[in-house]
């Protein structure tokens, strides 16, 4: 997760009427040290550990134990949304890449601040986004969660990578990347 | 009734979740749904829509792991 980068983003845009929050979901990679939640107390404890470890100053909001908010918004592990005043969805991303989020945020602020004078009418569009994956930090995170988190991730991921090398129909190695090699 | 499978104890990849996110989750230009959430620091319940009442809301979902 790009927690530190998102903290920096939140801090830089706080004086531009941007309210930043982190919604705490289920554990994506539970392990012996940070287990899956069986109660809201479990969730609170893990969320506080996250807040302290990652220096989170943003408001942390806990989803309920059933993951109602998480499910409502698409249930992927680390998504980011930008929502305009009044509830208009301006940005939706399957993963959190701070650089792409900032690009979306600048556009959102431009729209909010200038739409009346420019007579802008919003419309739907889609685009691909990209970010750098720091695999060493990700592995540190798995190790911090516990040995089970490491082994749970290693097995299926290795299989996917091997399969993707030989089978065009195999699951892509980057979840949320729908591109498949063509035959033409 | 609680969905035990939501809080899984063992990770396994769910690539279909990303397809569902693209197709079925709320879309850009739609109205954002509001859900009650608990503030970690105060314990108070917050309506998600309060986040965008007066400001642009920048919302990241995630967990420690």
């Amino acid at each position: 997760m790009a927690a530190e980068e998102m903290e920096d983003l939140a801090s830089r845009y706080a004086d531009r009427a941007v309210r930043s929050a982190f919604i705490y979901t289920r554990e994506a990679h539970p392990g012996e040290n940070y287990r899956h939640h069986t109660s809201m107390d479990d969730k609170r404890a893990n969320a506080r550990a996250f807040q302290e470890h990652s220096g989170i100053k943003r408001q942390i909001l806990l989803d309920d134990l059933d993951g109602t908010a998480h499910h409502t918004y698409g249930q992927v592990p680390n998504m980011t949304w930008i929502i305009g005043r009044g509830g208009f969805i301006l940005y939706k991303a399957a993963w959190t890449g701070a650089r792409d989020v900032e690009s979306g945020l600048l556009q959102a602020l431009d729209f909010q601040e200038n739409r009346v004078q420019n007579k802008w009418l919003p419309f739907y569009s889609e685009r691909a986004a990209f970010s750098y994956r720091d695999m060493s930090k990700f592995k540190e995170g798995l190790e911090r969660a516990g040995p089970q988190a490491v082994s749970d991730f290693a097995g299926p991921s290795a299989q996917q990578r091997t399969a993707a090398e030989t089978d065009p129909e195999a699951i892509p190695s980057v979840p949320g990347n729908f591109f498949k090699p063509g035959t033409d | 009734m609680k969905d035990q499978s939501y809080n899984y104890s063992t990770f396994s990849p769910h690539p279909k979740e990303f397809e569902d996110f693209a197709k079925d989750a709320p879309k850009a230009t739609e109205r954002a749904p509001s859900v009650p959430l608990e503030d970690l620091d105060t314990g108070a319940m917050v309506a998600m829509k309060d986040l965008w009442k007066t400001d642009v809301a920048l919302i990241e979902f995630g967990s420690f792991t």
Side-chain angles (χ1 to χ4, degrees), chain A residues 1 6 17-30 34 36-37 44 51 58-62 65-67 70 72-73 75 77-89 92 94-95 101 112 124 144 148 152 156 160 175-176 178, chain B residues 1-15 17-41 44-46 48 50-65:
Chain A
M1 261 192 308
M6 289 297 287
V18 174
R19 184 164 171 186
S20 298
F22 187 98
I23 293 182
Y24 203 90
T25 65
R26 65 181 170 191
E27 294 303 328
H29 297 280
Y34 296 101
H36 66 288
H37 312 141
R44 291 182 192 106
Q51 185 181 48
R58 286 173 285 165
Q59 183 180 23
I60 295 179
L61 298 168
L62 305 175
L65 199 57
D66 294 333
H70 195 200
T72 300
Y73 278 81
Q75 205 164 290
N78 184 215
M79 51 185 169
T80 286
W81 296 74
I82 298 172
I83 300 168
R85 285 194 299 271
F88 189 86
I89 297 173
K92 158 190 174 182
W95 289 107
V101 172
Q112 291 280 187
Y124 174 82
R144 184 170 54 240
Q148 182 203 314
D152 285 350
Q160 283 176 12
F178 305 123
Chain B
M1 184 160 64
K2 287 182 185 173
D3 176 8
Q4 298 299 326
S5 65
Y6 172 72
N7 290 295
Y8 52 72
S9 57
T10 303
F11 167 77
S12 61
H14 294 98
E17 283 180 348
F18 287 85
E19 290 181 23
D20 293 344
F21 175 81
K23 291 179 198 166
D24 300 329
K27 295 177 176 49
T29 72
E30 286 183 341
R31 178 182 295 277
S34 182
V35 179
L37 302 162
E38 178 186 316
D39 185 295
L40 176 66
D41 286 342
M45 293 307 293
V46 171
M48 199 172 167
D50 290 348
L51 296 175
W52 54 77
K53 202 183 231 178
T54 57
D55 294 340
V56 168
L58 172 55
I59 302 170
E60 181 183 3
F61 287 71
S63 66
F64 195 10
T65 63

Side-chain angles (χ1 to χ4, degrees), chain A residues 15-169:
Chain A
D15 64 353
R16 289 190 65 179
V18 174
R19 184 164 171 186
S20 298
F22 187 98
I23 293 182
Y24 203 90
T25 65
R26 65 181 170 191
E27 294 303 328
H29 297 280
E32 292 85 343
N33 302 327
Y34 296 101
R35 294 182 176 278
H36 66 288
H37 312 141
T38 60
S39 68
M40 283 303 289
D41 281 343
D42 289 346
K43 198 164 202 165
R44 291 182 192 106
N46 284 7
R48 287 196 186 102
F50 167 65
Q51 185 181 48
E52 185 178 333
H53 176 272
S54 301
I56 303 298
K57 294 183 174 47
R58 286 173 285 165
Q59 183 180 23
I60 295 179
L61 298 168
L62 305 175
D63 196 5
D64 65 20
L65 199 57
D66 294 333
T68 301
H70 195 200
H71 182 74
T72 300
Y73 278 81
Q75 205 164 290
V76 290
N78 184 215
M79 51 185 169
T80 286
W81 296 74
I82 298 172
I83 300 168
R85 285 194 299 271
F88 189 86
I89 297 173
L90 288 159
Y91 173 96
K92 158 190 174 182
W95 289 107
T96 297
R99 180 176 157 161
D100 191 68
V101 172
E102 185 163 16
S103 161
L105 189 58
L106 284 168
Q107 187 158 342
L109 290 170
D110 195 7
F111 173 69
Q112 291 280 187
E113 292 165 6
N114 300 308
R115 67 187 175 110
V116 173
Q117 89 183 34
N118 292 340
K119 298 181 185 175
W120 282 337
L121 298 173
F123 58 88
Y124 174 82
S125 73
E126 286 189 8
R127 68 179 193 188
F130 49 88
S131 67
Y132 172 68
R133 293 284 178 92
D134 188 337
M135 289 311 294
S136 63
K137 265 198 171 174
F138 178 68
K139 284 176 186 169
E140 270 179 33
L142 292 177
E143 287 163 2
R144 184 170 54 240
Q148 182 203 314
V150 176
S151 63
D152 285 350
F153 182 80
S157 297
Q159 287 169 17
Q160 283 176 12
R161 280 194 297 275
T162 303
E165 287 163 8
T166 56
D167 176 7
E169 297 301 313

